[in-house]
């Protein structure tokens, strides 16, 4: 057996002014760079295959034990050996906005950290606007820009890869042991090794489809860009079938939280008289935690679009409606069980089943050592953090978004929403600045600014928290929501491009509407 230290040399990657050629690419799942030129392999020093696992060493840290059959971890050197090293896992709202916050802060000489952002996708996804992809209101590039484009003029480095293993050693204290020179190591699925001084966990979550038999096989989640594209393609296929045969399209939406209601409203508007939407919820009402104004606006829209609400039912199982193995062969059957006694069960048929209930944090999928060096997780798989967003027992690790189990002043877990992640990213960036500069860290305090939801192409509802009882809905709410999200897009350059695009689309639609109205006037006269 050969033992390789987890402390390893690193190779610099950058998407900034000194970035590598855009044609370079990583082997395996890592993209943006070409590792073949970075890994030395010669007849004298042939590349060998190894199998590795984490083992404890004498100072309480961890090393990688390797044996033949697997390639040893590829490692890289940070550009500057003296400046702090920050590794951010996850490029969603929490991860990307933390990186941009660190980039925007003013740093003392020699203290500005080197930042590496790791995500399994090549694009950042503004998830609250995925519904607009189904309505055709936005283009993919507007709400899902590439990280390489967003980070071009920054010093932030991006790696496209999946995280496999965490090997923290900061459980020994902020400065660890005298022999330790790192806060820990991250091992990626491609075999790539990254050392860090400070780590940010913002890995997000994924839909939990294993709650009901058949959901994993037959239901479509609506959580990622790929999910939205898949749902749009399925709808388009059903619309073409409807055009040929005239058969009504039947869509079932499981869950009537914000995600389910926004999906039901968007799809019912798109289908119009060509199909029906059924929304299923275990509660006897929709949007149980939403402001009254948003709930009333949603009920008004769903009723006007003839969405069938099946409230007080849970889905017992999902199965094919026929024995056909084809994807569209006969649709699907959903067995519904009532939550109240005396109510009969139901079986409904659908051509497409959309699942919006339940998520599970991706943090639970990572390998990590047991004992004091492991991360403390709650029952949902989120890291337990203190009020400064640091993971308990790990002063060099911060967690936010779906990866964090932070509680408010009343002891209630904060919701895993984009609004919470936005604010946590600001505090995380500032607290890393404070930690590096030996300043006090700030406790996170969530400020609820209100809640927004889309209800269609020209319809939305907004209930701002600073004006009690006020709800903006209809076209006014739609315009306000779109403006609020435009302001929240990641960079000034991207905001400008998207703003121009949206303005141009609005101008074209306004001219088309004016022409249509004039044509109606002249034809009736």
């Amino acid at each position: 057996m050969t033992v390789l230290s987890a402390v390893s040399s690193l190779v610099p990657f950058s998407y900034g002014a000194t970035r590598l050629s855009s044609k370079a690419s990583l082997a395996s799942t890592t993209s943006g760079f070409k590792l073949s030129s970075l890994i030395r392999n010669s007849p004298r020093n042939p590349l060998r295959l190894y199998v590795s696992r984490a083992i404890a060493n004498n100072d309480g840290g961890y090393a990688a034990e390797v044996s033949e059959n697997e390639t040893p971890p590829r490692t890289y050197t940070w550009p500057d050996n003296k400046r702090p090293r920050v590794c951010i896992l996850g490029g969603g709202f929490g991860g990307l906005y933390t990186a941009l916050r660190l980039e925007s802060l003013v740093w003392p000489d020699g203290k500005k950290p080197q930042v590496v952002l790791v995500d399994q996708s090549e694009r950042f996804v503004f998830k609250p606007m995925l519904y607009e992809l189904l309505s055709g209101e936005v283009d993919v590039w507007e709400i899902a820009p590439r990280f390489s484009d967003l980070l071009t003029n920054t010093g932030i480095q991006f790696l496209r890869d999946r995280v496999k293993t965490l090997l923290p050693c900061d459980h020994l204290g902020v400065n660890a042991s005298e022999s330790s020179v790192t806060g820990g190591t991250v091992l990626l699925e491609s075999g790539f090794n990254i050392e860090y001084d400070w780590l940010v966990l913002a890995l997000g979550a994924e839909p939990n489809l294993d709650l009901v038999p058949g959901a994993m096989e037959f239901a479509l989640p609506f959580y990622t860009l790929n999910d939205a594209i898949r749902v749009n393609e399925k709808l388009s296929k059903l619309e073409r079938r409807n055009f040929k045969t005239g058969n009504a399209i039947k869509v079932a939406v499981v869950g009537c939280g914000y995600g389910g209601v926004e999906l039901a409203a968007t799809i019912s508007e798109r289908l119009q008289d060509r199909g029906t939407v059924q929304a299923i919820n275990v509660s006897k009402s929709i949007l149980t935690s939403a402001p009254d104004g948003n709930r009333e606006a949603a009920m008004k829209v769903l009723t006007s679009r003839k969405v069938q609400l099946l409230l007080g039912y849970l889905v017992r199982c999902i199965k094919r409606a026929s024995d056909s193995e084809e994807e569209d062969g006969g649709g699907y059957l959903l067995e519904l069980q009532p939550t109240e006694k005396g109510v009969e069960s139901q079986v409904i048929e659908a051509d497409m089943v959309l699942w919006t209930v339940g998520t599970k944090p991706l943090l639970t999928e990572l390998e990590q050592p047991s004992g004091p060096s492991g991360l403390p997780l709650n029952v949902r798989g989120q890291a337990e953090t203190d009020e400064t967003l640091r993971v308990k027992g790990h002063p060099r690790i911060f967690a936010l978004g779906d990866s964090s189990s932070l509680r408010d002043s009343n002891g209630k877990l904060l919701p895993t929403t984009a609004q919470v992640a936005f604010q946590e990213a600001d505090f995380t960036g500032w607290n890393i600045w404070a930690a590096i500069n030996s300043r006090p860290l700030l406790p996170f305090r969530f400020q609820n600014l209100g809640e927004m939801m889309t209800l269609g192409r020209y319809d939305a509802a907004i209930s701002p928290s600073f004006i009690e009882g006020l709800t903006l809905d209809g076209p006014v709410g739609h315009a306000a929501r779109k403006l609020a999200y435009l302001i929240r897009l990641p960079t000034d350059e991207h905001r400008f491009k998207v703003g121009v695009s949206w303005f141009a689309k609005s101008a074209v639609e306004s001219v088309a509407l004016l022409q249509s109205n004039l044509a109606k006037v002249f034809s009736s006269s």
Side-chain angles (χ1 to χ4, degrees), residues 470-482:
L470 174 65
T471 298
L472 303 176
D473 59 359
V476 174
H478 175 267
R481 175 180 176 272
K482 208 165 183 181

Side-chain angles (χ1 to χ4, degrees), residues 335-390:
E335 296 184 10
L336 307 183
Q337 178 179 334
T339 57
E340 294 184 358
K341 295 181 178 180
V343 180
E344 293 185 357
S345 301
Q346 292 193 45
V347 177
I348 64 173
E349 186 173 355
D351 298 303
M352 180 167 62
V353 181
L354 299 176
W355 192 269
T356 69
V357 179
T359 59
K360 51 185 177 182
L362 290 171
L363 190 58
T364 58
E365 298 182 1
L366 304 188
E367 299 173 3
Q368 57 174 311
S370 58
S373 59
L375 303 182
L377 305 180
N378 65 3
V379 292
R380 290 199 67 241
Q382 300 167 305
E384 293 282 358
T385 58
D386 61 22
E387 61 181 1
T388 66
L389 296 170
R390 288 196 299 191

